[in-house]
Amino acid sequence: MKKPVDLSARIASDIRASIVEGRLIVGDRLPSESELAEQFGVSRSTVREALKRLAAQSLIRTQRGAAGGAFVNHLSFEDAMAQQVTTATLLLSMNAISFDVACEARFALERACAPLAAARRTEDQLARLRSEIGRQSQPGLTDEEFCASDVAFHRALVDGAGNPVLSYQLAGAVEGMLPLMNMITFTARKRVQIVNLHSRIAEGLTRRDTVAVEAALHGLEDYTRTLARDVMAAREAARG
Amino acid sequence: MKKPVDLSARIASDIRASIVEGRLIVGDRLPSESELAEQFGVSRSTVREALKRLAAQSLIRTQRGAAGGAFVNHLSFEDAMAQQVTTATLLLSMNAISFDVACEARFALERACAPLAAARRTEDQLARLRSEIGRQSQPGLTDEEFCASDVAFHRALVDGAGNPVLSYQLAGAVEGMLPLMNMITFTARKRVQIVNLHSRIAEGLTRRDTVAVEAALHGLEDYTRTLARDVMAAREAARG
DNA sequence: CAAATCCTAAATGTCGGACAAATGAAAAAA
DNA sequence: TTTTTTCATTTGTCCGACATTTAGGATTTG
């Protein structure tokens, strides 16, 4: 693709291509830093910078010691999700993404999970949903705790679809929005509304009623956007 | 969160937190490598390895020269999508994700875009869709070219939703599946079927008929999975 | 003989210094 | 004023050294 000018970037790019295209597979050990330095005709420092680049993308891991070295990493869903979340967070905060756009994307993705979750949800997952609803009804909760429980609820919903790829995709969308959601103050009255909608979702899934779940998600999207609009309006008024 | 043992990882983590939490904002210049080395009480090499880690995540960019240094990068959708695609590709190839699971996730996400795309599609986007359909009908196309056009078609479909966050999410799902899709040989007969379904999608969008688009996407998902199953079966038979 | 201990070689992690190359800005020349 | 030159700053690269970790062999000990 591109021609990186820096040697360390070029070397990282080379090795990355080897991994992506399957010439190096999971568990393979790369040559030692000294050997790589000789192979590429650069110093060990430069090789190290290249390896750190790859490590930052979770493509390799390094072990010290006699049988140590750099190994092609098994990219787990957890690793990928962690990256996804930080990337999504920055993407939203840096690109002047409006709350509406982020919200729309998030609920569109969640609704995509509804039919699958309705068909496959287990009793365990239903219990998780109800447990989070119970927590959200507790009076002493801070806004942050309420938000955290909200995230847990929606992750449980998505996990109900039983598709790890969807869970991975959604994690970024939902958790990336957390900073934005945390700006909203959830009064008792608002919490009741949200908990009601959550209950409708849980009931819909219990009855395996896709349409009901989608409708509740639509309601939740509308209500969330209304809340955000009010927050923005209040903020405007305070400034003017 | 975690306690990185390596100094370069720890420093990278520190600076990353500063960026994510807003203490450093887009365009800000970090102290020079020497200054950072002094601040953190480490050598310049260690600082450099930390900075390379951040550069690998597109969090910073570096400039040489007098007014150079490391600057907090503006994370564009393009950068994020490129990362997303390589991550998704590796995720699918390393985690023994079945074709069915990947396919299901992809089409679930695409169907999520259908209502939005039906409401907002422009004439330009419709023209793009028809243009790709035209290309896919040409007889001389290789399988790779057919796949590439297929990707372009689906990206245009998703872009029709007019939500950059959705476009970003989908890019990973669709392009990450490319290596898997490329394993399928598209005979003339199969191509006709696919082009027919693509046409139904384009027609549905033209009429702003969400239900028709979703139905066509369902049909395409089923057909794609059938094709994959046949490929796998043929492969099994060849081995046995 | 078996088990525990020690030793050693190999590899990454860190350090410090050195020079090259790029680059913007100040100083000098036209 | 405009152009050229010089220069200080900063990243990119290289080298050599030592510390730290670790697996596995060698040695000692029961």
Side-chain angles (χ1 to χ4, degrees), chain A residues 75-121:
Chain A
L75 184 60
S76 67
F77 277 100
E78 284 73 23
D79 289 339
M81 256 190 268
Q83 286 183 231
Q84 169 84 351
V85 168
T86 66
T87 302
T89 305
L90 286 171
L91 210 46
L92 293 186
S93 72
M94 284 184 178
N95 285 277
I97 299 296
S98 72
F99 191 90
D100 273 355
V101 169
C103 209
E104 176 179 282
R106 168 191 164 165
F107 282 100
L109 296 179
E110 286 198 40
R111 279 194 297 273
C113 297
L116 298 172
R120 299 179 188 162
R121 95 287 184 286

mmCIF file of all heavy atoms in Angstrom, chain A residues 75-121:
data_model
loop_
_atom_site.group_PDB
_atom_site.id
_atom_site.type_symbol
_atom_site.label_atom_id
_atom_site.label_comp_id
_atom_site.label_asym_id
_atom_site.label_seq_id
_atom_site.Cartn_x
_atom_site.Cartn_y
_atom_site.Cartn_z
ATOM 1 N N LEU A 75 -4.828 -13.172 18.576
ATOM 2 C CA LEU A 75 -5.655 -11.985 18.790
ATOM 3 C C LEU A 75 -7.014 -12.409 19.323
ATOM 4 O O LEU A 75 -7.848 -12.934 18.592
ATOM 5 C CB LEU A 75 -5.816 -11.222 17.475
ATOM 6 C CG LEU A 75 -6.586 -9.910 17.569
ATOM 7 C CD1 LEU A 75 -5.886 -8.947 18.511
ATOM 8 C CD2 LEU A 75 -6.736 -9.293 16.203
ATOM 9 N N SER A 76 -7.223 -12.205 20.604
ATOM 10 C CA SER A 76 -8.478 -12.628 21.214
ATOM 11 C C SER A 76 -9.538 -11.557 21.019
ATOM 12 O O SER A 76 -9.238 -10.399 20.733
ATOM 13 C CB SER A 76 -8.273 -12.879 22.702
ATOM 14 O OG SER A 76 -7.997 -11.655 23.350
ATOM 15 N N PHE A 77 -10.780 -11.942 21.184
ATOM 16 C CA PHE A 77 -11.871 -10.978 21.105
ATOM 17 C C PHE A 77 -11.706 -9.900 22.177
ATOM 18 O O PHE A 77 -12.030 -8.738 21.953
ATOM 19 C CB PHE A 77 -13.218 -11.690 21.262
ATOM 20 C CG PHE A 77 -13.723 -12.282 19.999
ATOM 21 C CD1 PHE A 77 -13.579 -13.632 19.750
ATOM 22 C CD2 PHE A 77 -14.336 -11.489 19.041
ATOM 23 C CE1 PHE A 77 -14.035 -14.181 18.577
ATOM 24 C CE2 PHE A 77 -14.802 -12.029 17.863
ATOM 25 C CZ PHE A 77 -14.649 -13.387 17.625
ATOM 26 N N GLU A 78 -11.181 -10.292 23.334
ATOM 27 C CA GLU A 78 -10.994 -9.312 24.407
ATOM 28 C C GLU A 78 -10.009 -8.230 23.974
ATOM 29 O O GLU A 78 -10.283 -7.033 24.120
ATOM 30 C CB GLU A 78 -10.480 -9.995 25.687
ATOM 31 C CG GLU A 78 -11.530 -10.758 26.462
ATOM 32 C CD GLU A 78 -11.925 -12.060 25.765
ATOM 33 O OE1 GLU A 78 -11.114 -12.569 24.959
ATOM 34 O OE2 GLU A 78 -13.043 -12.540 26.002
ATOM 35 N N ASP A 79 -8.857 -8.646 23.458
ATOM 36 C CA ASP A 79 -7.861 -7.678 23.000
ATOM 37 C C ASP A 79 -8.469 -6.755 21.943
ATOM 38 O O ASP A 79 -8.326 -5.529 22.012
ATOM 39 C CB ASP A 79 -6.642 -8.399 22.396
ATOM 40 C CG ASP A 79 -5.817 -9.091 23.463
ATOM 41 O OD1 ASP A 79 -5.931 -8.696 24.643
ATOM 42 O OD2 ASP A 79 -5.063 -10.011 23.116
ATOM 43 N N ALA A 80 -9.110 -7.377 20.962
ATOM 44 C CA ALA A 80 -9.667 -6.593 19.860
ATOM 45 C C ALA A 80 -10.717 -5.621 20.380
ATOM 46 O O ALA A 80 -10.790 -4.469 19.932
ATOM 47 C CB ALA A 80 -10.271 -7.529 18.810
ATOM 48 N N MET A 81 -11.518 -6.079 21.329
ATOM 49 C CA MET A 81 -12.562 -5.203 21.865
ATOM 50 C C MET A 81 -11.964 -4.021 22.610
ATOM 51 O O MET A 81 -12.450 -2.897 22.490
ATOM 52 C CB MET A 81 -13.479 -5.993 22.789
ATOM 53 C CG MET A 81 -14.810 -6.316 22.150
ATOM 54 S SD MET A 81 -15.995 -6.981 23.312
ATOM 55 C CE MET A 81 -15.710 -8.720 23.148
ATOM 56 N N ALA A 82 -10.911 -4.281 23.381
ATOM 57 C CA ALA A 82 -10.279 -3.191 24.121
ATOM 58 C C ALA A 82 -9.788 -2.117 23.160
ATOM 59 O O ALA A 82 -10.004 -0.917 23.380
ATOM 60 C CB ALA A 82 -9.120 -3.733 24.956
ATOM 61 N N GLN A 83 -9.147 -2.548 22.078
ATOM 62 C CA GLN A 83 -8.688 -1.576 21.095
ATOM 63 C C GLN A 83 -9.868 -0.837 20.479
ATOM 64 O O GLN A 83 -9.852 0.375 20.329
ATOM 65 C CB GLN A 83 -7.924 -2.296 19.978
ATOM 66 C CG GLN A 83 -6.548 -2.776 20.377
ATOM 67 C CD GLN A 83 -5.821 -3.403 19.192
ATOM 68 O OE1 GLN A 83 -5.319 -4.483 19.284
ATOM 69 N NE2 GLN A 83 -5.819 -2.697 18.061
ATOM 70 N N GLN A 84 -10.869 -1.631 20.134
ATOM 71 C CA GLN A 84 -12.067 -1.090 19.501
ATOM 72 C C GLN A 84 -12.689 0.007 20.353
ATOM 73 O O GLN A 84 -13.125 1.041 19.846
ATOM 74 C CB GLN A 84 -13.053 -2.248 19.289
ATOM 75 C CG GLN A 84 -14.437 -1.854 18.887
ATOM 76 C CD GLN A 84 -14.526 -1.643 17.389
ATOM 77 O OE1 GLN A 84 -13.516 -1.631 16.698
ATOM 78 N NE2 GLN A 84 -15.719 -1.451 16.908
ATOM 79 N N VAL A 85 -12.700 -0.225 21.662
ATOM 80 C CA VAL A 85 -13.339 0.742 22.553
ATOM 81 C C VAL A 85 -12.556 2.053 22.594
ATOM 82 O O VAL A 85 -13.128 3.136 22.472
ATOM 83 C CB VAL A 85 -13.485 0.149 23.970
ATOM 84 C CG1 VAL A 85 -13.863 1.238 24.965
ATOM 85 C CG2 VAL A 85 -14.546 -0.944 23.974
ATOM 86 N N THR A 86 -11.234 1.967 22.734
ATOM 87 C CA THR A 86 -10.470 3.215 22.780
ATOM 88 C C THR A 86 -10.550 3.941 21.439
ATOM 89 O O THR A 86 -10.694 5.163 21.400
ATOM 90 C CB THR A 86 -8.993 2.981 23.131
ATOM 91 O OG1 THR A 86 -8.367 2.261 22.087
ATOM 92 C CG2 THR A 86 -8.846 2.223 24.435
ATOM 93 N N THR A 87 -10.473 3.185 20.355
ATOM 94 C CA THR A 87 -10.569 3.814 19.044
ATOM 95 C C THR A 87 -11.922 4.499 18.871
ATOM 96 O O THR A 87 -11.998 5.652 18.444
ATOM 97 C CB THR A 87 -10.384 2.769 17.932
ATOM 98 O OG1 THR A 87 -9.127 2.133 18.093
ATOM 99 C CG2 THR A 87 -10.442 3.426 16.570
ATOM 100 N N ALA A 88 -12.984 3.805 19.222
ATOM 101 C CA ALA A 88 -14.320 4.375 19.055
ATOM 102 C C ALA A 88 -14.489 5.614 19.926
ATOM 103 O O ALA A 88 -15.058 6.622 19.495
ATOM 104 C CB ALA A 88 -15.372 3.327 19.399
ATOM 105 N N THR A 89 -13.977 5.543 21.144
ATOM 106 C CA THR A 89 -14.085 6.688 22.045
ATOM 107 C C THR A 89 -13.429 7.915 21.434
ATOM 108 O O THR A 89 -14.014 9.009 21.394
ATOM 109 C CB THR A 89 -13.418 6.364 23.390
ATOM 110 O OG1 THR A 89 -14.001 5.172 23.923
ATOM 111 C CG2 THR A 89 -13.607 7.511 24.369
ATOM 112 N N LEU A 90 -12.196 7.727 20.945
ATOM 113 C CA LEU A 90 -11.478 8.848 20.352
ATOM 114 C C LEU A 90 -12.171 9.335 19.094
ATOM 115 O O LEU A 90 -12.264 10.532 18.847
ATOM 116 C CB LEU A 90 -10.048 8.435 20.033
ATOM 117 C CG LEU A 90 -9.152 8.313 21.245
ATOM 118 C CD1 LEU A 90 -7.827 7.683 20.862
ATOM 119 C CD2 LEU A 90 -8.918 9.697 21.843
ATOM 120 N N LEU A 91 -12.656 8.394 18.313
ATOM 121 C CA LEU A 91 -13.317 8.749 17.066
ATOM 122 C C LEU A 91 -14.495 9.668 17.350
ATOM 123 O O LEU A 91 -14.703 10.677 16.671
ATOM 124 C CB LEU A 91 -13.793 7.469 16.386
ATOM 125 C CG LEU A 91 -13.860 7.434 14.872
ATOM 126 C CD1 LEU A 91 -12.599 7.997 14.264
ATOM 127 C CD2 LEU A 91 -14.092 6.013 14.416
ATOM 128 N N LEU A 92 -15.259 9.326 18.373
ATOM 129 C CA LEU A 92 -16.431 10.135 18.689
ATOM 130 C C LEU A 92 -16.026 11.493 19.250
ATOM 131 O O LEU A 92 -16.630 12.516 18.922
ATOM 132 C CB LEU A 92 -17.319 9.401 19.696
ATOM 133 C CG LEU A 92 -17.993 8.131 19.182
ATOM 134 C CD1 LEU A 92 -18.953 7.577 20.215
ATOM 135 C CD2 LEU A 92 -18.712 8.371 17.874
ATOM 136 N N SER A 93 -14.986 11.516 20.083
ATOM 137 C CA SER A 93 -14.641 12.777 20.730
ATOM 138 C C SER A 93 -13.891 13.706 19.788
ATOM 139 O O SER A 93 -13.932 14.916 19.951
ATOM 140 C CB SER A 93 -13.800 12.506 21.977
ATOM 141 O OG SER A 93 -12.508 12.091 21.618
ATOM 142 N N MET A 94 -13.201 13.131 18.783
ATOM 143 C CA MET A 94 -12.353 13.973 17.939
ATOM 144 C C MET A 94 -13.034 14.426 16.669
ATOM 145 O O MET A 94 -12.558 15.324 15.996
ATOM 146 C CB MET A 94 -11.093 13.205 17.541
ATOM 147 C CG MET A 94 -10.074 13.103 18.637
ATOM 148 S SD MET A 94 -8.610 12.294 18.011
ATOM 149 C CE MET A 94 -7.570 12.360 19.473
ATOM 150 N N ASN A 95 -14.109 13.787 16.274
ATOM 151 C CA ASN A 95 -14.669 14.080 14.963
ATOM 152 C C ASN A 95 -15.985 14.829 15.043
ATOM 153 O O ASN A 95 -16.765 14.822 14.116
ATOM 154 C CB ASN A 95 -14.841 12.788 14.171
ATOM 155 C CG ASN A 95 -13.509 12.281 13.663
ATOM 156 O OD1 ASN A 95 -13.011 12.710 12.642
ATOM 157 N ND2 ASN A 95 -12.905 11.381 14.426
ATOM 158 N N ALA A 96 -16.210 15.449 16.176
ATOM 159 C CA ALA A 96 -17.428 16.238 16.315
ATOM 160 C C ALA A 96 -18.636 15.434 15.876
ATOM 161 O O ALA A 96 -19.503 15.905 15.147
ATOM 162 C CB ALA A 96 -17.325 17.529 15.512
ATOM 163 N N ILE A 97 -18.640 14.152 16.275
ATOM 164 C CA ILE A 97 -19.796 13.313 15.999
ATOM 165 C C ILE A 97 -20.915 13.773 16.917
ATOM 166 O O ILE A 97 -20.749 13.839 18.128
ATOM 167 C CB ILE A 97 -19.476 11.841 16.276
ATOM 168 C CG1 ILE A 97 -18.344 11.352 15.394
ATOM 169 C CG2 ILE A 97 -20.720 10.980 16.076
ATOM 170 C CD1 ILE A 97 -18.673 11.377 13.939
ATOM 171 N N SER A 98 -22.033 14.102 16.351
ATOM 172 C CA SER A 98 -23.142 14.534 17.178
ATOM 173 C C SER A 98 -23.691 13.354 17.959
ATOM 174 O O SER A 98 -23.546 12.204 17.570
ATOM 175 C CB SER A 98 -24.245 15.118 16.303
ATOM 176 O OG SER A 98 -24.879 14.096 15.587
ATOM 177 N N PHE A 99 -24.269 13.663 19.066
ATOM 178 C CA PHE A 99 -24.878 12.631 19.884
ATOM 179 C C PHE A 99 -25.909 11.856 19.062
ATOM 180 O O PHE A 99 -25.997 10.629 19.151
ATOM 181 C CB PHE A 99 -25.542 13.272 21.098
ATOM 182 C CG PHE A 99 -25.981 12.290 22.133
ATOM 183 C CD1 PHE A 99 -25.121 11.907 23.151
ATOM 184 C CD2 PHE A 99 -27.253 11.757 22.094
ATOM 185 C CE1 PHE A 99 -25.519 10.995 24.105
ATOM 186 C CE2 PHE A 99 -27.654 10.838 23.052
ATOM 187 C CZ PHE A 99 -26.790 10.457 24.058
ATOM 188 N N ASP A 100 -26.658 12.558 18.243
ATOM 189 C CA ASP A 100 -27.692 11.915 17.445
ATOM 190 C C ASP A 100 -27.116 10.836 16.524
ATOM 191 O O ASP A 100 -27.659 9.729 16.423
ATOM 192 C CB ASP A 100 -28.430 12.964 16.593
ATOM 193 C CG ASP A 100 -29.588 13.581 17.360
ATOM 194 O OD1 ASP A 100 -29.846 13.121 18.491
ATOM 195 O OD2 ASP A 100 -30.221 14.507 16.838
ATOM 196 N N VAL A 101 -26.017 11.177 15.855
ATOM 197 C CA VAL A 101 -25.434 10.225 14.911
ATOM 198 C C VAL A 101 -24.935 8.984 15.645
ATOM 199 O O VAL A 101 -25.182 7.846 15.222
ATOM 200 C CB VAL A 101 -24.283 10.891 14.124
ATOM 201 C CG1 VAL A 101 -23.508 9.853 13.337
ATOM 202 C CG2 VAL A 101 -24.834 11.961 13.194
ATOM 203 N N ALA A 102 -24.224 9.208 16.765
ATOM 204 C CA ALA A 102 -23.710 8.080 17.530
ATOM 205 C C ALA A 102 -24.851 7.219 18.049
ATOM 206 O O ALA A 102 -24.810 5.986 18.002
ATOM 207 C CB ALA A 102 -22.846 8.588 18.684
ATOM 208 N N CYS A 103 -25.876 7.889 18.530
ATOM 209 C CA CYS A 103 -27.028 7.202 19.096
ATOM 210 C C CYS A 103 -27.741 6.381 18.026
ATOM 211 O O CYS A 103 -28.102 5.224 18.245
ATOM 212 C CB CYS A 103 -27.967 8.254 19.663
ATOM 213 S SG CYS A 103 -28.943 7.692 21.038
ATOM 214 N N GLU A 104 -27.920 6.979 16.869
ATOM 215 C CA GLU A 104 -28.589 6.290 15.782
ATOM 216 C C GLU A 104 -27.844 5.015 15.395
ATOM 217 O O GLU A 104 -28.450 3.951 15.241
ATOM 218 C CB GLU A 104 -28.662 7.232 14.578
ATOM 219 C CG GLU A 104 -29.245 6.614 13.338
ATOM 220 C CD GLU A 104 -29.297 7.629 12.208
ATOM 221 O OE1 GLU A 104 -30.206 8.472 12.235
ATOM 222 O OE2 GLU A 104 -28.429 7.595 11.323
ATOM 223 N N ALA A 105 -26.520 5.132 15.273
ATOM 224 C CA ALA A 105 -25.720 3.966 14.909
ATOM 225 C C ALA A 105 -25.834 2.880 15.973
ATOM 226 O O ALA A 105 -26.039 1.707 15.665
ATOM 227 C CB ALA A 105 -24.259 4.372 14.730
ATOM 228 N N ARG A 106 -25.734 3.301 17.215
ATOM 229 C CA ARG A 106 -25.762 2.326 18.288
ATOM 230 C C ARG A 106 -27.066 1.541 18.292
ATOM 231 O O ARG A 106 -27.062 0.311 18.358
ATOM 232 C CB ARG A 106 -25.590 3.043 19.618
ATOM 233 C CG ARG A 106 -25.892 2.146 20.776
ATOM 234 C CD ARG A 106 -25.969 2.924 22.063
ATOM 235 N NE ARG A 106 -26.621 2.120 23.076
ATOM 236 C CZ ARG A 106 -26.587 2.409 24.370
ATOM 237 N NH1 ARG A 106 -25.945 3.471 24.776
ATOM 238 N NH2 ARG A 106 -27.205 1.638 25.228
ATOM 239 N N PHE A 107 -28.187 2.226 18.203
ATOM 240 C CA PHE A 107 -29.460 1.517 18.297
ATOM 241 C C PHE A 107 -29.773 0.751 17.017
ATOM 242 O O PHE A 107 -30.463 -0.273 17.064
ATOM 243 C CB PHE A 107 -30.584 2.478 18.678
ATOM 244 C CG PHE A 107 -30.589 2.801 20.140
ATOM 245 C CD1 PHE A 107 -30.059 3.981 20.621
ATOM 246 C CD2 PHE A 107 -31.097 1.878 21.048
ATOM 247 C CE1 PHE A 107 -30.051 4.255 21.981
ATOM 248 C CE2 PHE A 107 -31.092 2.145 22.409
ATOM 249 C CZ PHE A 107 -30.566 3.338 22.878
ATOM 250 N N ALA A 108 -29.271 1.238 15.889
ATOM 251 C CA ALA A 108 -29.434 0.461 14.664
ATOM 252 C C ALA A 108 -28.742 -0.890 14.828
ATOM 253 O O ALA A 108 -29.293 -1.932 14.463
ATOM 254 C CB ALA A 108 -28.855 1.228 13.473
ATOM 255 N N LEU A 109 -27.542 -0.865 15.387
ATOM 256 C CA LEU A 109 -26.813 -2.112 15.587
ATOM 257 C C LEU A 109 -27.514 -2.996 16.612
ATOM 258 O O LEU A 109 -27.600 -4.212 16.451
ATOM 259 C CB LEU A 109 -25.384 -1.812 16.039
ATOM 260 C CG LEU A 109 -24.514 -1.065 15.033
ATOM 261 C CD1 LEU A 109 -23.130 -0.796 15.609
ATOM 262 C CD2 LEU A 109 -24.370 -1.869 13.758
ATOM 263 N N GLU A 110 -28.035 -2.385 17.656
ATOM 264 C CA GLU A 110 -28.710 -3.199 18.670
ATOM 265 C C GLU A 110 -29.967 -3.840 18.102
ATOM 266 O O GLU A 110 -30.281 -4.991 18.404
ATOM 267 C CB GLU A 110 -29.048 -2.346 19.899
ATOM 268 C CG GLU A 110 -27.813 -2.041 20.737
ATOM 269 C CD GLU A 110 -28.181 -1.593 22.139
ATOM 270 O OE1 GLU A 110 -29.113 -2.164 22.724
ATOM 271 O OE2 GLU A 110 -27.525 -0.656 22.642
ATOM 272 N N ARG A 111 -30.682 -3.075 17.298
ATOM 273 C CA ARG A 111 -31.896 -3.660 16.708
ATOM 274 C C ARG A 111 -31.538 -4.820 15.776
ATOM 275 O O ARG A 111 -32.316 -5.765 15.624
ATOM 276 C CB ARG A 111 -32.685 -2.587 15.961
ATOM 277 C CG ARG A 111 -33.550 -1.730 16.882
ATOM 278 C CD ARG A 111 -34.564 -0.916 16.097
ATOM 279 N NE ARG A 111 -33.924 0.029 15.204
ATOM 280 C CZ ARG A 111 -33.538 1.265 15.562
ATOM 281 N NH1 ARG A 111 -33.739 1.692 16.794
ATOM 282 N NH2 ARG A 111 -32.971 2.059 14.690
ATOM 283 N N ALA A 112 -30.347 -4.721 15.177
ATOM 284 C CA ALA A 112 -29.925 -5.822 14.314
ATOM 285 C C ALA A 112 -29.765 -7.109 15.115
ATOM 286 O O ALA A 112 -29.897 -8.205 14.589
ATOM 287 C CB ALA A 112 -28.612 -5.462 13.611
ATOM 288 N N CYS A 113 -29.464 -6.972 16.402
ATOM 289 C CA CYS A 113 -29.286 -8.145 17.246
ATOM 290 C C CYS A 113 -30.606 -8.719 17.738
ATOM 291 O O CYS A 113 -30.660 -9.872 18.177
ATOM 292 C CB CYS A 113 -28.424 -7.803 18.462
ATOM 293 S SG CYS A 113 -26.762 -7.298 18.047
ATOM 294 N N ALA A 114 -31.648 -7.910 17.689
ATOM 295 C CA ALA A 114 -32.906 -8.302 18.319
ATOM 296 C C ALA A 114 -33.435 -9.652 17.819
ATOM 297 O O ALA A 114 -33.759 -10.517 18.644
ATOM 298 C CB ALA A 114 -33.940 -7.191 18.126
ATOM 299 N N PRO A 115 -33.535 -9.852 16.500
ATOM 300 C CA PRO A 115 -34.093 -11.132 16.050
ATOM 301 C C PRO A 115 -33.263 -12.324 16.525
ATOM 302 O O PRO A 115 -33.815 -13.341 16.939
ATOM 303 C CB PRO A 115 -34.054 -11.009 14.517
ATOM 304 C CG PRO A 115 -33.933 -9.558 14.231
ATOM 305 C CD PRO A 115 -33.185 -8.969 15.382
ATOM 306 N N LEU A 116 -31.940 -12.183 16.467
ATOM 307 C CA LEU A 116 -31.067 -13.272 16.890
ATOM 308 C C LEU A 116 -31.186 -13.523 18.384
ATOM 309 O O LEU A 116 -31.263 -14.671 18.834
ATOM 310 C CB LEU A 116 -29.616 -12.957 16.516
ATOM 311 C CG LEU A 116 -29.339 -12.797 15.019
ATOM 312 C CD1 LEU A 116 -27.918 -12.293 14.778
ATOM 313 C CD2 LEU A 116 -29.542 -14.136 14.315
ATOM 314 N N ALA A 117 -31.206 -12.427 19.140
ATOM 315 C CA ALA A 117 -31.291 -12.579 20.597
ATOM 316 C C ALA A 117 -32.627 -13.199 20.996
ATOM 317 O O ALA A 117 -32.684 -14.034 21.909
ATOM 318 C CB ALA A 117 -31.101 -11.227 21.270
ATOM 319 N N ALA A 118 -33.696 -12.796 20.305
ATOM 320 C CA ALA A 118 -35.007 -13.351 20.632
ATOM 321 C C ALA A 118 -35.018 -14.857 20.385
ATOM 322 O O ALA A 118 -35.635 -15.624 21.136
ATOM 323 C CB ALA A 118 -36.084 -12.666 19.796
ATOM 324 N N ALA A 119 -34.324 -15.274 19.356
ATOM 325 C CA ALA A 119 -34.333 -16.691 19.030
ATOM 326 C C ALA A 119 -33.433 -17.510 19.955
ATOM 327 O O ALA A 119 -33.711 -18.672 20.235
ATOM 328 C CB ALA A 119 -33.891 -16.888 17.571
ATOM 329 N N ARG A 120 -32.382 -16.912 20.444
ATOM 330 C CA ARG A 120 -31.337 -17.720 21.097
ATOM 331 C C ARG A 120 -31.116 -17.440 22.573
ATOM 332 O O ARG A 120 -30.335 -18.138 23.222
ATOM 333 C CB ARG A 120 -29.996 -17.488 20.383
ATOM 334 C CG ARG A 120 -30.025 -17.890 18.938
ATOM 335 C CD ARG A 120 -28.687 -17.612 18.295
ATOM 336 N NE ARG A 120 -28.758 -17.818 16.849
ATOM 337 C CZ ARG A 120 -27.871 -17.332 15.991
ATOM 338 N NH1 ARG A 120 -26.850 -16.636 16.438
ATOM 339 N NH2 ARG A 120 -27.999 -17.554 14.703
ATOM 340 N N ARG A 121 -31.704 -16.390 23.089
ATOM 341 C CA ARG A 121 -31.420 -16.016 24.479
ATOM 342 C C ARG A 121 -31.601 -17.205 25.411
ATOM 343 O O ARG A 121 -32.487 -18.005 25.251
ATOM 344 C CB ARG A 121 -32.311 -14.824 24.896
ATOM 345 C CG ARG A 121 -33.605 -15.175 25.609
ATOM 346 C CD ARG A 121 -34.646 -15.772 24.663
ATOM 347 N NE ARG A 121 -35.923 -16.034 25.313
ATOM 348 C CZ ARG A 121 -36.158 -17.031 26.153
ATOM 349 N NH1 ARG A 121 -35.220 -17.861 26.454
ATOM 350 N NH2 ARG A 121 -37.360 -17.183 26.694
#
